């Protein structure tokens, strides 16, 4: 269907709105400032005499939108760092490069970001140098140096462009192609070399950052990575003759730091600082060496005060590379589940469509009623044709009024006045009313069952989609970490055949180790210690599975949190059944779920509804259903349970055992309370209970909990008067028993309700604890 003018106008408005939003994005301005600063740094290098081609190379490969801030920053840097003749030469080279980029961007955007950018850097440096030589004179040495400088700019632009295109932000570093890694490292070394020109009272931030990089690499990958990083940054920085002593200081310091990496931050920082300082002192003490000692001292202190969680986060970022699906089978299963879910949705749509069409057809009960009247009352009457052919609408309306299906007006109807068998007609229509009403009730129930069936199909379709997502995310293998851990274990004398490092969708880690033979030599405690040291996580005792193919030892990350629970109930009448039901379960998604269902009224009838609701929700949640998809099935089951109304509330709490986040789900439920430290947070959401309407949904709210926080889920009998007193009691509660807390709140609620509100009392208490398995 072609776009209308309205559609086109709407699309253009959206486009320009996005464009304006992009222009006003503060992050974009921060990136522009960062690019300008980088250009300023790249233009500062004068360790190669007055040769400084890197800012031109940087400008030649940048995304076009950042060319202007880079040009400004680089030009300012050149005039600050170099004599005016050299600064003028490089500013001319920057101008030529900028004009070339503008021309390519406007006329040939498809080749921007290719070899044309390398040529731009080479030609700009060469043409600018030749132009300056026209005024200063030519010499063989100057021409050779110009060609070498242009070639250096050409090569550095290759490294810069590849570094820009490296997907490091999405995949990390561990599984980058070797050429990408080299380009990234060389670009960073060039930047550090150029940035070393900035000093504060003689102290260089670049050299401090270099020390931190070496120490982190040592902690991250051991002695090999530490020494290699030290050699790279030392080689880059020692181009400046003042700091030639830094090459062995960085290399030896990185090697020593890697050796002491098992001792954590303190061991790495101490080893690097001692070796670095010793090399500086051995090389001779003068003003430059003292500056170096001050710089390494600052780096030492900074590395020690960096929180462990930030180092772990950086390690996770660097090592997230290599994460791939466990195997093709997982992807195929996820695809089949998604396809099945789509088919279920289609079936649901067909059932709903057929149901709507059936509801719109002529009422068969009315046709049957009219046919019975014609056969049993009108058969043989000479006016039959007049009533049922010419006056069908009037006759049908009068019959509906006689049976009471439609409202009857005062007086006799036209049919009664003209009908010769009016007494027989009235008697027969009176007897037919009950039959019609019963038939219509059955039809309405069938129609409701069709709608319930539609909801059931939708709930199953949602569940299949959720399972598909879980399957595709549940087995993610990190090849980089798998290789690193396997190497570390083998270096420690642990002989294994294969190792796989997995992460789940919620961030849980598991390590599977395969051993073909010699399982009796497998040191489980030693392996657990090495795993915890390398991953900065804690693991439970391993599960061991022995098959004909070998032995699999699985270490599963210990959940950081656990819960302590307790509940207490008091029915309205002594020795009677409570109409509230409590259920708790743990799902495969590393979550704990607590449920409280309150049936309509009290006693056995309410208990039946609440038990059915809570039990179904518990089974569905433990099977992997989400709260939303389980709700559709439970609600439709209550609607279809009987001809009488079945109404129940659901008050659900789902706690993530890794993050401590508590999600509250309320369907007709009353207020819940959360004690966080010295305050109480109330969770109150208006919503409808289950069993009344088809399209019922949860009202949701989330609270991030910490160790020691308590959740109270209560029935509406407890909060019949007010809940301020519950907050006071919750704040003053000091013992650990959640069962005692629940009993205490129920007892006080019973005392406060002197006339006993006509409802049952139930309190469920959940406390978040440290997992000390």
């Amino acid at each position: 269907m072609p776009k209308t003018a309205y559609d086109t106008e709407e699309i253009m408005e959206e486009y320009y709105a996005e464009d304006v939003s992009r222009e006003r994005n503060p992050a974009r301005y921060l990136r522009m400032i960062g690019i300008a600063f980088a250009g300023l740094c790249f233009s500062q290098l004068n360790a190669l005499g007055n040769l400084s081609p890197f800012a031109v190379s940087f400008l030649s490969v940048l995304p076009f939108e950042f060319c202007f801030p880079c040009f400004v920053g680089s030009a300012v840097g050149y005039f600050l760092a170099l004599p005016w003749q050299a600064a003028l030469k490089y500013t001319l080279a920057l101008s030529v490069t900028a004009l070339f980029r503008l021309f390519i961007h406007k006329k040939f955007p498809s080749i921007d970001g290719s070899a044309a950018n390398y040529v731009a850097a080479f030609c700009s440096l060469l043409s600018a140098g030749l132009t300056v030589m026209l005024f200063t004179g030519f010499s063989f040495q100057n021409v050779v140096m110009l060609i070498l400088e242009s070639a250096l700019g050409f090569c550095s632009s290759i490294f810069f462009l590849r570094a820009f295109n490296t997907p490091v932000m999405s995949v990390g570093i561990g599984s980058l192609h070797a050429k990408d890694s080299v380009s990234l490292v060389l670009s960073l070394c060039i930047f550090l070399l150029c940035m070393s020109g900035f000093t504060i009272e003689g102290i260089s931030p670049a050299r401090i950052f270099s020390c931190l990089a070496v120490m982190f690499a040592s902690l991250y990958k051991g002695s090999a990575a530490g020494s290699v990083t030290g050699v790279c940054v030392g080689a880059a920085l020692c181009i400046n003759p003042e700091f030639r002593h830094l090459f062995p200081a960085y290399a030896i310091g990185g090697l020593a730091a890697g050796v002491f990496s098992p001792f954590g931050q303190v061991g790495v920082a101490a080893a690097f600082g001692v070796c670095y300082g010793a090399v500086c002192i051995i090389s001779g003490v003068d003003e430059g060496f003292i500056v170096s000692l001050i710089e390494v001292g600052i780096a030492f202190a900074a590395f020690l005060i960096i929180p462990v969680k930030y180092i772990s986060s950086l390690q996770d970022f660097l090592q997230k590379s290599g994460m791939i699906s466990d195997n093709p089978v997982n992807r195929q299963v996820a695809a089949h589940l998604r396809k099945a879910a789509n088919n279920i949705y289609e079936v649901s749509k067909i059932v709903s469509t057929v149901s709507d069409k059936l509801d719109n057809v002529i009422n068969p009960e009315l046709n049957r009623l009219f046919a019975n009247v014609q056969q049993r009352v009108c058969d043989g009457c000479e006016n039959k044709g007049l009533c049922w052919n010419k006056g069908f609408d009037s006759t049908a309306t009068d019959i509906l009024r006689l049976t009471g299906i439609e409202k009857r007006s005062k007086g006799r109807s036209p049919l009664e006045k003209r009908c010769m068998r009016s007494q027989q007609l009235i008697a027969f229509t009176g007897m037919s009313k009950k039959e019609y009403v019963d038939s219509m009730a059955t039809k309405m129930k069938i129609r409701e069952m069709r709608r319930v069936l539609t909801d059931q199909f939708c709930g199953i379709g949602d569940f299949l989609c959720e399972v598909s997502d879980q399957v595709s995310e549940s087995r993610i293998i990190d090849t980089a970490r798998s290789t690193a851990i396997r190497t570390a274990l083998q270096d420690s004398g642990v002989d294994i055949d294969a190792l796989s490092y997995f992460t789940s969708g919620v961030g849980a880690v598991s390590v599977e180790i395969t051993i073909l033979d010699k399982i009796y030599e497998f040191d489980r405690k030693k392996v657990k210690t090495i795993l915890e040291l390398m991953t900065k996580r804690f693991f439970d005792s391993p599960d061991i599975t022995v098959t004909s193919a070998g032995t699999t030892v699985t270490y599963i990350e210990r959940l950081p949190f656990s819960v302590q629970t307790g509940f207490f109930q008091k029915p309205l009448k002594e020795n009677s059944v409570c109409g509230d039901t409590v259920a708790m379960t743990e799902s495969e998604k590393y979550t704990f779920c607590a449920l409280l269902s309150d049936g309509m009224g009290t006693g056995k009838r309410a208990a039946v509804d609440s038990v059915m609701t809570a039990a179904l929700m518990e089974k569905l949640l433990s099977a992997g259903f989400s709260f939303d998809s389980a709700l559709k099935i439970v609600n439709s089951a209550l609607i279809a349970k009987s001809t009488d109304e079945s109404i129940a509330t659901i008050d659900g709490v789902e706690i993530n055992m890794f993050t401590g986040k508590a999600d509250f789900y309320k369907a007709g439920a009353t207020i819940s309370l959360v004690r966080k430290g010295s305050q109480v947070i109330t969770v109150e959401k208006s919503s409808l209970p289950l069993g009344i309407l088809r399209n019922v949904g949860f009202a949701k709210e989330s609270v991030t909990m910490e160790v020691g926080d308590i959740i109270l889920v209560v029935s509406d009998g407890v909060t019949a008067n007010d809940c301020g007193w519950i907050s006071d009691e919750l704040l003053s509660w000091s013992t650990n028993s959640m069962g005692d807390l629940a009993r205490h709140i129920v007892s006080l609620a019973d005392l406060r309700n002197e006339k006993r509100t006509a409802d049952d009392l139930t309190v469920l208490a959940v406390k978040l604890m440290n997992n000390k398995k």
Side-chain angles (χ1 to χ4, degrees), residues 325 329-342 345 460-476 505 588-589 623-626 629:
S325 177
V329 175
N330 278 25
R331 294 193 293 272
Q332 292 175 7
V333 171
H336 283 302
L337 288 172
R338 180 68 65 171
K339 183 178 180 181
N342 292 334
Y345 287 136
I460 294 173
D462 292 344
F463 171 66
L464 291 176
C465 288
E466 293 162 1
V467 173
S468 174
D469 294 337
Q470 291 173 18
V471 168
S472 62
E473 297 176 357
S474 61
R475 297 285 287 178
I476 305 297
E588 296 180 353
K589 297 180 289 186
F625 279 73
S626 69
S629 58

Side-chain angles (χ1 to χ4, degrees), residues 173-234:
I173 290 179
S175 65
L176 288 178
H177 190 277
K179 293 182 179 179
D180 292 331
S181 300
V182 170
S183 298
L184 200 61
V185 170
L186 286 176
S187 299
L188 182 60
C189 288
I190 292 173
F191 180 74
L192 289 175
L193 173 62
C194 297
M195 192 179 172
S196 64
F198 287 103
T199 60
I200 302 173
E201 298 296 329
I203 306 299
S204 171
R207 291 192 289 272
I208 296 174
F209 178 81
S210 300
C211 294
L212 290 172
V214 175
M215 286 188 279
F216 176 78
S218 302
L219 181 64
Y220 168 53
K221 284 290 189 179
S223 57
S227 57
V228 169
T229 306
V231 168
C232 289
V233 298

